[in-house]
Amino acid sequence: AQSVTQLDSQVPVFEEAPVELRCNYSSSVSVYLFWYVQYPNQGLQLLLKYLSGSTLVKGINGFEAEFNKSQTSFHLRKPSVHISDTAEYFCAVNHQAGTALIFGKGTTLSVSS
Amino acid sequence: GAVVSQHPSRVICKSGTSVKIECRSLDFQATTMFWYRQFPKQSLMLMATSNEGSKATYEQGVEKDKFLINHASLTLSTLTVTSAHPEDSSFYICSARARAVNTEAFFGQGTRLTVV
């Protein structure tokens, strides 16, 4: 069975600092991996996705993630965060196209000045 | 990108009444739609999967008679919360997969349901 573990429930950082949000997954087969951002009382916005090919994936708003098959990880990074990046971030996985995404519990990123 | 419109964004209803939430794919055909429920400060829990023209498949623990899902067309799915109670208060989010691009799901804006 698939599962997703987001290792940090809350990550507080200062503005312009780098940040890494960690995500590990468990699956015995090939996977598709996603990062979504959610602002209060809103739906999910796709930041980036890994389907195949290059393991370094670049997304919107300056975010990137690296797929590491040996460590079963897909950590999200941003070299310099803004106050506006404060939100909830979800890592998600599925192994078969067309099936539902399985989500991690989320990481709250809080950016302060 | 593909747009999924969910309506209403917020609804308050009295205990014992029913509420219908609509999820529409605006610019693509959604062969599969998913309904999630999100409790405060928690992750999204899959409630059910619906394919156009067939009955929804519910996850374990989800009451299919309470949460009625209809996917009558390739652009519309509805979730009806029947005989709502305060414990049904939650944030409900739909997502849709396109026929042509089924490696990605597109999400609606969510519906905040409050049962009083």
Side-chain angles (χ1 to χ4, degrees), chain A residues 41 43 46 49 94 99 104, chain B residues 38 43 97 102 104 109 112:
Chain A
N41 290 312
L46 180 67
K49 61 185 176 183
N94 71 358
T99 60
Chain B
Q38 185 179 30
S43 188
R97 283 195 185 274
N102 63 1
E104 182 176 345
Q109 307 95 311
R112 171 72 61 193

Side-chain angles (χ1 to χ4, degrees), chain A residues 32 34 36 38 41-44 46 49 51 88 90 94 96-106, chain B residues 10 32 34 36 38 41-44 46 49 91 93 97 101-110 112:
Chain A
Y32 303 124
F34 305 81
Y36 287 88
Q38 184 182 34
N41 290 312
Q42 294 187 30
L44 276 69
L46 180 67
K49 61 185 176 183
L51 303 179
E88 191 77 15
F90 292 98
N94 71 358
Q96 182 179 349
T99 60
L101 294 177
I102 304 301
F103 286 87
K105 292 188 176 182
Chain B
R10 293 176 179 269
T32 305
F34 307 94
Y36 293 85
Q38 185 179 30
K41 304 293 186 182
Q42 294 190 30
S43 188
L44 284 76
L46 180 66
T49 301
F91 194 60
I93 305 177
R97 283 195 185 274
V101 185
N102 63 1
T103 52
E104 182 176 345
F106 303 97
F107 286 82
Q109 307 95 311
R112 171 72 61 193

Side-chain angles (χ1 to χ4, degrees), chain B residues 66-116:
Chain B
K66 167 169 271 299
F67 299 101
L68 300 179
I69 292 172
N70 183 281
H71 191 168
S73 77
L74 284 171
T75 59
L76 175 64
S77 176
T78 60
L79 167 67
T80 301
V81 183
T82 63
S83 186
H85 291 285
E87 56 265 30
D88 298 325
S89 298
S90 192
F91 194 60
Y92 294 88
I93 305 177
C94 70
S95 77
R97 283 195 185 274
R99 181 195 301 274
V101 185
N102 63 1
T103 52
E104 182 176 345
F106 303 97
F107 286 82
Q109 307 95 311
T111 297
R112 171 72 61 193
L113 170 64
T114 303
V115 185
V116 298

